[in-house]
Amino acid sequence: MKLYDLEPSGNCYKVRLFCALAKIPIDLVPVDFMAGEHKTAKFLSMNPLGELPILDDNGTILRDSQAILVYLASKYASEAWLPKDPAHAAKVMQWLSTAANEVQHGPGDARLVDLFGYKIDKPTTIANSNAILPIFEAHLANNQWLEMGRVTIADIACYPYIGLSHQGGVSLEAYLNIRAWIGRIKALPNYIAMSGI
Amino acid sequence: MKLYDLEPSGNCYKVRLFCALAKIPIDLVPVDFMAGEHKTAKFLSMNPLGELPILDDNGTILRDSQAILVYLASKYASEAWLPKDPAHAAKVMQWLSTAANEVQHGPGDARLVDLFGYKIDKPTTIANSNAILPIFEAHLANNQWLEMGRVTIADIACYPYIGLSHQGGVSLEAYLNIRAWIGRIKALPNYIAMSGI
């Protein structure tokens, strides 16, 4: 199973991290992002959005880090990571949308501006961060993990760009519960880091 | 089962539409958006993001229209709408992220600016629309439906804000395949419309 990968991408990291935690063997295939390899015909045929990561599991090609987490959890990991019960599964899914939307367009985009020079309106990314981080902070005041009282793919999907907030100039100093949650994730068996986190 | 609902919301409409198509009985509870009812303590306790729709299925409270579609399809509808096989499920999930992110921040946000005066940068919403709509157009050149060769919750999640594009000044005139796909959705048994679509 191959993961077309970019080391500094938080979306790639969430897949690498999940595979490490759930002990899923995966072959990392580094993509030459600076040369635009992800925009070549070969890559666009796998992901027309021209983004990474892309998973290739013996011909099953998947784009989008959230969908990849759902796939890997359903197929290769314990049900603890993604419950089968519809209500519990949907509780986890809520946070996958939050990862794809509010977390991406808050601390994720702020970091894209500061670290990689993306032409995204920086004040909007800060406003988005200031809207979503207090919601995590309040939720984590009463919950050790986002759902189910244990680590699930919800945590793995949201963690990278929140953990990398400082790289976009977004401080987590005031967010004690978020910082404690980050600490719990870092303490998980088989945890792996990425640069900046 | 109650859906806290706002008629002009495409995210609420995707849940109403799915319930109609899959014949899932649901009680609509209109929320007084103009009066800020969705920002009251009662609603924030159900959805701290302060958004609609919210589903209440006998005490199971869910936010996020994509998560709600996953829940309703898993619990109350035929597997045809959301396959159980991990690879097929993940193929559908890819488009749920696309709905929550690119479709929302393209034609969805363009409409929020034009129709409701949201303070979102309009040129960005147009650029986002011009990035994502050609990807749907190309995909639908070879596919009658987004995945599985049949209608799934992927189509239902992406359809509303694409179908409402014109309300944000985004024309679908050049997108023949998207328009044909919209026509197929409108022709489904038990289809219901919303204002503007």
Side-chain angles (χ1 to χ4, degrees):
Chain A
M1 185 157 57
K2 285 188 287 195
L3 183 72
Y4 292 98
D5 182 49
L6 181 68
E7 200 281 333
S9 158
N11 285 320
C12 292
Y13 169 57
K14 63 181 85 163
V15 180
R16 299 195 304 267
L17 174 59
F18 179 63
C19 287
L21 295 172
K23 297 186 184 174
I24 299 169
I26 195 146
D27 295 321
L28 299 182
V29 183
V31 175
D32 192 346
F33 191 84
M34 297 307 287
E37 190 182 2
H38 58 299
K39 303 285 192 189
T40 59
K42 174 190 167 188
F43 279 85
L44 290 175
S45 74
M46 295 191 289
N47 181 4
L49 277 71
E51 295 171 344
L52 298 169
I54 300 169
L55 187 79
D56 179 352
D57 185 8
N58 199 26
T60 293
I61 310 286
L62 292 170
R63 63 173 173 86
D64 180 67
S65 53
Q66 279 66 240
I68 292 171
L69 290 179
V70 167
Y71 175 72
L72 293 172
S74 312
K75 186 151 184 177
Y76 295 114
S78 149
E79 193 185 326
W81 290 100
L82 174 60
K84 291 202 197 302
D85 170 75
H88 293 160
K91 289 276 183 189
V92 170
M93 295 284 170
Q94 297 178 136
W95 296 100
L96 302 189
S97 286
T98 305
N101 185 359
E102 288 86 357
V103 175
Q104 179 69 57
H105 295 298
D109 280 358
R111 175 176 177 265
L112 287 179
V113 174
D114 281 13
L115 213 55
F116 302 105
Y118 275 54
K119 296 197 187 315
I120 302 171
D121 183 60
K122 185 72 194 290
T124 298
T125 70
I126 298 299
N128 290 345
S129 300
N130 292 342
I132 194 62
L133 291 174
I135 289 168
F136 277 85
E137 179 70 5
H139 184 76
L140 291 165
N142 303 309
N143 298 278
Q144 297 273 298
W145 304 98
L146 291 178
E147 296 293 339
M148 309 296 301
R150 63 172 186 263
V151 63
T152 68
I153 59 170
D155 303 281
I156 306 307
C158 293
Y159 163 66
Y161 288 118
I162 293 179
L164 292 164
S165 288
H166 62 99
Q167 289 192 331
V170 176
S171 170
L172 297 180
E173 195 178 348
Y175 299 115
L176 296 179
N177 301 320
I178 290 178
R179 285 159 53 205
W181 169 72
I182 288 173
R184 285 189 288 277
I185 293 174
K186 289 186 173 178
L188 290 169
N190 303 305
Y191 175 86
I192 58 169
M194 69 170 276
S195 47
I197 212 161
Chain B
M1 186 157 55
K2 285 189 286 193
L3 183 72
Y4 292 97
D5 183 50
L6 181 68
E7 200 281 333
S9 158
N11 285 321
C12 293
Y13 170 57
K14 63 180 84 161
V15 180
R16 298 195 304 266
L17 174 59
F18 179 62
C19 287
L21 294 171
K23 297 187 185 174
I24 298 169
I26 195 147
D27 294 320
L28 299 182
V29 182
V31 175
D32 191 345
F33 192 83
M34 297 307 287
E37 190 182 2
H38 58 299
K39 302 285 192 189
T40 58
K42 174 190 167 188
F43 279 84
L44 290 175
S45 75
M46 295 192 289
N47 181 3
L49 277 72
E51 295 171 342
L52 299 169
I54 300 168
L55 187 78
D56 180 352
D57 185 9
N58 199 25
T60 294
I61 310 286
L62 292 170
R63 63 172 175 86
D64 181 67
S65 52
Q66 279 65 240
I68 292 171
L69 290 179
V70 167
Y71 175 71
L72 293 172
S74 312
K75 185 149 185 180
Y76 295 114
S78 149
E79 193 184 327
W81 290 100
L82 175 60
K84 291 202 196 304
D85 171 74
H88 293 161
K91 289 277 183 188
V92 170
M93 295 285 170
Q94 297 178 135
W95 297 100
L96 302 190
S97 285
T98 306
N101 185 358
E102 289 86 357
V103 175
Q104 180 69 56
H105 295 296
D109 280 357
R111 176 175 177 265
L112 287 179
V113 174
D114 281 14
L115 213 55
F116 301 105
Y118 274 54
K119 296 197 187 314
I120 302 171
D121 184 60
K122 185 73 194 289
T124 298
T125 70
I126 298 299
N128 290 345
S129 300
N130 292 341
I132 193 63
L133 290 173
I135 289 168
F136 277 84
E137 179 71 5
H139 184 75
L140 291 165
N142 303 309
N143 299 278
Q144 297 273 299
W145 304 98
L146 290 178
E147 295 295 339
M148 309 296 301
R150 64 171 186 263
V151 63
T152 68
I153 60 169
D155 303 281
I156 306 305
C158 293
Y159 164 66
Y161 288 117
I162 294 180
L164 292 164
S165 288
H166 63 97
Q167 290 192 330
V170 176
S171 171
L172 297 180
E173 194 178 349
Y175 299 115
L176 297 179
N177 300 322
I178 290 177
R179 285 161 50 206
W181 170 71
I182 288 173
R184 285 189 288 278
I185 293 174
K186 289 186 173 179
L188 290 168
N190 304 305
Y191 175 86
I192 57 169
M194 70 171 275
S195 46
I197 211 160

